[in-house]
């Protein structure tokens, strides 16, 4: 017996229907804001993630799964170098791939309306698995390219809240945590002062933070260690370093959110784990999914398109984790109402009716109905049980009597009302015209 790899789960039919509904609701809500779907490869050249997400991030330095194509396998085993183009990795997130696709396919908006894209699918990170943290997980994300205005950020966050409402969340119970990370200009000054502060306090920081001082000092801010957090409370705050443009941008995002009744918590320590962010960053946190409480994260990335070889084009986006959102739903005690999938169950009341029943089932399917039929010669009683299990809306019973009269007996499974209709009136019945 070979089990699934560590940190992966099978999405079994009972759960798969929720993933389908989840995507449908996202398409519906995000579609109202003009987002259209894009699908990019599950693996890309490793360099895309190194340049896009940042070499010093945990995601790139520790968590990527490498992909080695058959032809290169022997070379890698022999310790030989493979060409940069053949150095591939499974995507740990969707933004870098979407931006690459947009540049490569000449889709960057040049003075026209911003390009609004959404995607849904698996991402891969070799993290230590725990509740709400997997090595293969599902994300739904959006990316908006070509507009730097604060109203794009506010619109995106409001849209996200509408999506959570559509899922059934009481959004008052979700924490929207907000920060501005400034632009490269203001961040350079901040980085310098933060670095100085960290070096001064090095002896009181945990090993990981000490490691991060030179490599990625901003990441020390979201260290989970309580002792570090106490030290970092005294660190310089990015909000005090924002240039006028960044300050005004942030104020406008906050004011648009406030005017739309969206509550948020400001946290100057929110820096996110990917290096591409500029200005607005945010997370949706839910207090009830354990240590992995970020259901969604995102923000603005005005330098990424240029970094990946495109024209200077601003960007904004977010991605939400399916598994964590499902966990939060379960912990809050609500589910989606799964749609009934069986319209008709065709029950065979006598051996002679088998052929007719098969024909009726097929014609209903061709007409567009979802139909189940017994294939295993069950008794009529067991067939009714089966119809209940399938949650059929109607059962069509065909026996000797019906065959003789050219009729069908239709039973409403909710009201238990039963009526006989002529066989040639079946589709009129389906249309509700009888
Ligand atoms: P992220 O914060 O790395 O952002 O991931 C977004 C969401 O994916 C998280 O809030 C979480 O729900 C889920 N997630 C991340 N890692 C795991 C994991 N190991 N297991 C389960 N769920 C996980 C991004 O990926 C950015 N690309 C978002 C973005 C789009 N920013 C701008 N545009």
């Amino acid at each position: 017996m070979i089990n699934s790899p560590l940190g992966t789960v099978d999405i079994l039919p009972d759960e798969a229907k929720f993933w389908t509904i989840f995507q449908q609701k996202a398409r519906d809500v995000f579609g109202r804001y003009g987002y259209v779907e894009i699908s990019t490869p599950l693996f890309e050249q490793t360099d895309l993630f190194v340049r896009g997400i940042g070499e010093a991030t945990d995601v790139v330095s520790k968590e990527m799964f490498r992909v080695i194509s058959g032809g290169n396998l022997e070379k890698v085993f022999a310790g030989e170098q493979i060409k940069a183009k053949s150095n591939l990795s499974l995507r740990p997130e969707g933004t870098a791939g979407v931006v690459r696709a947009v540049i490569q396919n000449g889709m960057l908006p040049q003075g026209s309306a911003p390009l609004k894209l959404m995607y849904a699918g698996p991402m891969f990170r070799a993290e230590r698995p725990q509740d709400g943290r997997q090595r293969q997980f599902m994300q739904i994300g959006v990316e908006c390219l070509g507009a730097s205005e604060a109203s794009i950020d506010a619109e995106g966050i409001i849209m996200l809240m509408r999506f959570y409402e559509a899922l059934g969340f009481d959004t008052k119970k979700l924490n929207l945590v907000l920060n501005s990370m400034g632009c490269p200009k203001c961040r350079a000054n901040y980085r310098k002062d933060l670095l100085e502060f960290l070096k001064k306090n090095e002896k009181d920081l945990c090993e990981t933070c000490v490691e991060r001082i030179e490599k990625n000092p901003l990441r020390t801010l979201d260290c989970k260690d309580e002792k570090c957090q106490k030290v970092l409370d005294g660190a310089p705050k990015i909000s005090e370093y924002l240039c006028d443009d960044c300050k005004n941008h942030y104020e406008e995002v906050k004011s648009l959110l406030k005017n739309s009744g969206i509550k948020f918590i400001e946290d100057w320590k929110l820096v996110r784990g990917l290096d591409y962010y500029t200005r607005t960053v945010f997370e949706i946190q839910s207090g009830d999914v354990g240590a992995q409480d970020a259901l969604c994260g995102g923000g603005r990335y005005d330098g990424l398109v240029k970094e990946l070889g495109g024209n200077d084009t601003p960007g904004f986006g977010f991605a939400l984790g399916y598994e964590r959102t499902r966990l939060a739903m379960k912990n809050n005690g609500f589910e989606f109402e799964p749609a009934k999938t069986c319209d008709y169950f065709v029950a065979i009341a006598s051996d002679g009716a088998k052929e007719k029943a098969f024909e009726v089932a097929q014609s209903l399917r061709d007409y567009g109905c979802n139909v189940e039929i017994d294939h295993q010669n069950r008794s009529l009683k067991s067939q009714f049980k089966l119809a209940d299990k399938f949650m059929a809306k109607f059962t069509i019973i065909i026996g000797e009597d019906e065959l003789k009269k050219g009729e069908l007996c239709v039973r409403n499974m909710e009201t238990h009302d039963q009526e006989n209709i002529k066989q040639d009136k079946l589709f009129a019945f389906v249309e509700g015209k009888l």
Side-chain angles (χ1 to χ4, degrees), residues 59 92-95 119 125 127 132-139 141-143 272 274 276-277 283-284 294-299 301 316-325:
V59 170
E93 57 100 58
T95 313
Y119 50 91
R125 295 184 194 176
E127 294 187 83
R133 191 162 72 189
Q134 294 174 193
R135 295 184 149 202
Q136 177 176 332
F137 56 97
M138 296 297 197
Q139 267 190 359
V142 305
E143 312 297 347
R272 311 270 300 124
L274 313 158
Y276 47 63
Y277 291 109
E283 279 184 4
I284 304 285
L295 305 186
C296 174
Y301 48 86
F316 170 87
F318 61 73
L320 50 106
Y322 169 71
E323 292 80 2
R324 283 186 204 174
T325 306

Side-chain angles (χ1 to χ4, degrees), residues 169-176 285-288 332:
F169 276 94
D170 175 358
T171 45
K172 282 188 227 90
K173 289 191 187 155
L174 296 176
N175 293 328
L176 165 61
Q285 297 172 357
S286 153
D288 48 28
N332 277 287

